[in-house]
């Protein structure tokens, strides 16, 4: 069974940093791409970043370019989202997902989702 478990969320002040983790299990890690998404209350879920796990290619939404970095530790079957220079508008529930294709920063053909981890950025 496939599982994706996020952790690392929390509350920080604007300008601060957080590192989110997504631990994958139940499949061969680099056979699927991993994407990060976020959803704020009352808003649509939006893609944030995507990584092609077998070669490390990465893609970012314009709103986070230069501030967020998606990375991975293949041995640990873990994808990360390092978030720097956080802004209040980054406040959202953050989810990781596994899928077949990084269509740019949007993960496509999603097969599995994690449960989410809350990120709150105060001014």
């Amino acid at each position: 069974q496939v599982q994706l478990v996020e952790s690392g969320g929390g509350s920080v002040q604007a300008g601060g940093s957080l590192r989110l983790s997504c631990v994958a299990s139940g499949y061969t890690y680099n056979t699927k791409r991993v994407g990060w998404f976020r959803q704020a209350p009352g808003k649509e879920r939006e893609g944030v970043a995507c990584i092609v796990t077998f070669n490390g290619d990465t893609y970012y939404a314009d709103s986070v370019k230069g501030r967020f970095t998606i990375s991975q530790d293949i041995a640990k079957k873990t994808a990360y989202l390092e978030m720097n220079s956080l802004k209040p508008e980054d406040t959202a529930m953050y989810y990781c997902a596994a899928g077949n294709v990084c269509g740019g920063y949007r993960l496509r053909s999603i097969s599995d989702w994690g449960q989410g981890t809350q990120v709150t950025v105060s001014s």
Side-chain angles (χ1 to χ4, degrees), residues 7-12 16-20 36-41 68 81 83 86-95 116-122:
S7 63
S11 182
V12 298
S17 299
L18 285 171
R19 188 193 194 200
L20 308 183
W36 284 96
F37 297 79
R38 65 187 183 186
Q39 187 170 25
F68 291 10
L81 187 68
M83 305 183 294
L86 282 162
K87 304 174 181 179
E89 53 262 44
D90 295 319
T91 295
M93 184 73 79
Y94 283 71
Y95 301 87
T117 186
Q118 178 68 39
V119 172
T120 302
V121 184
S122 60

Side-chain angles (χ1 to χ4, degrees), residues 25-106:
S25 62
Y27 70 100
T28 301
Y29 174 79
N30 64 3
T31 61
K32 294 179 180 287
R33 284 67 165 167
V34 176
W36 284 96
F37 297 79
R38 65 187 183 186
Q39 187 170 25
K43 295 188 176 182
E44 297 292 324
R45 184 171 296 187
E46 62 177 346
V48 173
C50 196
I51 185 165
V52 181
T53 54
F54 65 86
N55 67 9
D57 286 352
T58 58
Y59 305 88
Y60 300 92
D62 287 345
S63 60
V64 306
K65 284 180 181 177
R67 299 189 298 121
F68 291 10
T69 302
I70 187 170
S71 62
Q72 65 185 349
D73 185 330
I74 294 174
K76 295 181 178 180
K77 302 180 70 172
T78 301
Y80 304 97
L81 187 68
E82 180 74 30
M83 305 183 294
N84 303 125
S85 301
L86 282 162
K87 304 174 181 179
E89 53 262 44
D90 295 319
T91 295
M93 184 73 79
Y94 283 71
Y95 301 87
C96 66
N100 288 336
V101 179
C102 286
Y105 64 87
R106 297 186 180 93

